[in-house]
Amino acid sequence: MTSSGAAQRRFVVLPDAKAVAAEAAARLISRIEANLRRPAICLTGGSGPKALYALLGSSGYHARIPWDRVHWFIGDERFVNEKDERNNMAVAKDIFLSRCAPAENIHPIPTNAADPDTAARLYENELQTFYGASRLDAARPLFDVVLMGLGPDGHTASLFPGAKALDETERWVVGVDHAHVEPFIPRVTLTLPALASSREMLFLATGEAKRDILSKVMTGADLPATRAHSNGDTVWLVDTAAQGG
Ligand code: 6PG
């Protein structure tokens, strides 16, 4: 199924953050099981996905993932050293990837590049090599699952409101010189078309602090998180605290 954007979103309201992590893990594993070749998962930063990451590495789930075949990417990165605790891939590695996935299946954004734009071009190259083409084919998604978060200003990945990166149609990855929220460090982000090239985009939004911005997204306000969608399924996993129920 293909979609034309926000109209195709589906919101799933769950009791709490624990239930959101469990539902996300179940969906991710079923997408992995459906791809008998090289499943590609695009992770996200922030605090939202940490419970999910812990679950994926836990004894109950570990055996269900064919770690040697799954490849792990990141949708956006803070332009800090790969070992810095603010580095999104460093967080995912620390919680589960280093322990579970072969190093060659982990694809961090190279933040040791000269600047964010150079890092973006290098990562675009890496994604295109993995994909086997430099143009996205609607019939062949780049990712099986893309995880996304919701920032307080409605940003997602490092696509901030009003940024010109939102209008990018050619590049898969771009450098972002100024972040709108903490940490105020330059970023590198995948663009909307690259993120859309996915079988499923899963947004995770939990906790009362997300309530105001989530209600704007749900009513269709023009925000990056509203514009982001998959060409396959776009599913918002939210808890009752965030949804205001
Ligand atoms: C980042 C992110 C960002 C994040 C949101 C939500 O690098 O900061 O990838 O888009 O997902 O800001 O963050 P929280 O989950 O911490 O609220």
Side-chain angles (χ1 to χ4, degrees):
M1 182 189 80
T2 56
S3 82
S4 57
Q8 305 286 329
R9 300 174 302 171
R10 194 149 60 82
F11 290 86
V12 178
V13 184
L14 295 156
D16 52 29
K18 208 171 153 199
V20 165
E23 177 66 19
R27 287 175 167 272
L28 205 132
I29 288 171
S30 97
R31 290 287 177 184
I32 288 173
E33 283 170 353
N35 183 338
L36 299 177
R37 285 189 65 242
R38 290 189 308 168
I41 309 297
C42 186
L43 301 173
T44 185
S47 55
K50 288 182 179 174
L52 166 64
Y53 294 169
L55 219 48
L56 295 175
S58 69
S59 52
Y61 287 80
H62 185 275
R64 300 175 58 194
I65 298 175
W67 295 98
D68 54 327
R69 290 196 294 111
V70 185
H71 286 255
W72 307 89
F73 296 87
I74 191 91
D76 76 307
E77 193 52 272
R78 291 95 179 265
F79 199 66
V80 290
N81 187 282
E82 286 185 17
K83 292 199 163 37
D84 191 296
E85 61 184 14
R86 295 166 300 175
N87 184 287
N88 289 335
M89 192 57 113
V91 172
K93 278 187 179 172
D94 190 45
I95 302 178
F96 77 116
L97 284 183
S98 293
R99 206 165 26 90
C100 304
E104 62 274 20
N105 292 13
I106 307 173
H107 303 265
I109 290 176
T111 51
N112 56 354
D115 51 63
D117 196 58
T118 307
R121 288 183 188 278
L122 289 167
Y123 204 53
E124 182 166 280
N125 245 332
E126 179 157 355
L127 284 167
Q128 293 179 345
T129 302
F130 179 84
Y131 185 66
S134 56
R135 300 213 58 93
L136 293 165
D137 174 353
R140 193 167 66 83
L142 170 59
F143 299 114
D144 292 275
V145 178
V146 169
L147 295 176
M148 301 285 262
L150 172 63
D153 56 351
H155 81 260
T156 192
S158 282
L159 295 162
F160 296 99
K164 68 175 192 308
L166 284 168
D167 300 319
E168 182 60 51
T169 55
E170 294 300 317
R171 288 183 59 183
W172 297 16
V173 192
V174 294
V176 176
D177 289 334
H178 302 286
H180 287 202
V181 296
E182 294 223 46
F184 292 105
I185 39 184
R187 314 281 184 103
V188 177
T189 189
L190 269 63
T191 58
L192 291 173
L195 294 163
S197 181
S198 48
R199 296 187 189 281
E200 182 163 345
M201 180 178 283
L202 270 185
F203 277 90
L204 310 180
T206 60
E208 211 183 315
K210 302 282 181 202
R211 191 175 289 180
D212 289 349
I213 192 66
L214 181 62
S215 77
K216 290 184 181 146
V217 169
M218 289 177 94
T219 52
D222 185 16
L223 292 165
T226 312
R227 284 169 68 171
H229 67 275
S230 170
N231 292 331
D233 296 334
T234 306
V235 180
W236 281 75
L237 301 179
V238 307
D239 68 355
T240 45
Q243 187 249 2

